[in-house]
Amino acid sequence: MQEKKQTKAEKHAATRAALLATARRLFAARGYAETGTEDVVREAGVTRGALYYHFADKRALFEALVESIAAEVLAAIEAAAAQATSPLDALIRGSAAFLDACLQPDARQIFLVDAPSVIGWQRWREIDGRYGRGSLRQGVEAALAELPKDRQISAEALTFLLTGAMNEAVLWLAEAENEMAARDAADTALNRILTLLFEPVR
């Protein structure tokens, strides 16, 4: 049987995917500063012209990866939260999924370690706001809606506080000598905080 010939659009898509996959592996292993575009094109098996057809420069390639990882983290959070039985349960499940996703070495290095300095804090916060932080804000608002007026607090302030805490927790866990024990401690502490904040009074 004759193989179906790839269209130009399919070839472009395949080349872009190869560049992103290769760059992700190299940026995760070496960091942004130690990875050159020549390394990416050589290992991806494409030309330098192909790289610059899809991305203006190394920073643009890196930013595309940041967006991709942010979307993956959001998908993991939403999948976990979909199994929840209450807004509080959704926050607990979603937070655990966030930690799991960001503890993947490539996600941690690219999204949390390198991204803020490479693409700038403002751009990084814009991306984070559309994905993980945006999802957390929705979860916080849903949980607050279950509480009486005298227990209401600022959803925006709480979202930023929880985001900062969880981002720092990922970096702490990555450095821990005993990651499993540290993760158990982090889960216990985070669940206690969320329960105290959002559990309805019976």
Side-chain angles (χ1 to χ4, degrees):
M1 181 182 294
Q2 187 175 8
E3 290 187 10
K4 181 183 176 182
K5 188 175 181 181
Q6 275 190 320
T7 66
K8 184 176 288 188
E10 288 171 336
K11 288 180 180 178
H12 285 324
T15 298
R16 190 176 192 277
L19 285 165
L20 286 170
T22 302
R24 182 169 183 157
R25 178 169 52 79
L26 294 178
F27 285 138
R30 305 177 186 176
Y32 179 83
E34 299 301 318
T35 301
T37 54
E38 62 275 10
D39 302 318
V40 176
V41 297
R42 181 178 63 252
E43 296 206 22
V46 303
T47 65
R48 183 174 293 275
L51 170 65
Y52 292 119
Y53 175 84
H54 292 281
F55 305 101
D57 51 24
K58 185 173 88 165
R59 183 183 180 281
L61 171 61
F62 182 82
E63 185 170 334
L65 277 176
V66 173
E67 288 256 14
S68 177
I69 290 171
E72 290 173 9
V73 172
L74 175 59
I77 292 170
E78 291 182 336
Q83 306 300 314
T85 57
S86 69
L88 171 57
D89 189 32
L91 277 175
I92 291 173
R93 289 173 183 265
S95 298
F98 171 83
L99 294 180
D100 285 338
C102 288
L103 279 171
Q104 298 301 311
D106 54 353
R108 183 178 67 246
Q109 181 65 40
I110 293 169
F111 188 69
L112 291 177
V113 176
D114 282 341
S117 59
V118 174
I119 66 176
W121 273 105
Q122 183 173 350
R123 179 62 180 139
W124 182 84
R125 290 179 69 185
E126 288 174 1
I127 294 172
D128 187 45
R130 289 204 310 276
Y131 294 95
R133 192 174 73 244
S135 176
L136 178 59
R137 173 66 179 265
Q138 292 176 1
V140 167
E141 290 175 344
L144 285 173
E146 300 283 301
L147 302 179
K149 287 185 178 180
D150 62 351
R151 291 185 61 193
Q152 295 297 312
I153 53 179
S154 167
E156 181 177 14
L158 187 54
T159 298
F160 277 98
L161 287 167
L162 290 174
T163 297
M166 286 191 283
N167 286 344
E168 284 297 320
V170 171
L171 298 175
W172 170 62
L173 288 169
E175 301 285 328
E177 290 186 9
N178 186 333
E179 185 177 314
M180 184 175 295
R183 177 58 191 273
D184 286 343
D187 283 339
T188 299
L190 183 57
N191 292 354
R192 177 72 61 84
I193 290 170
L194 293 173
T195 299
L196 289 172
L197 284 169
F198 296 115
E199 187 171 51
V201 177
R202 302 296 181 186

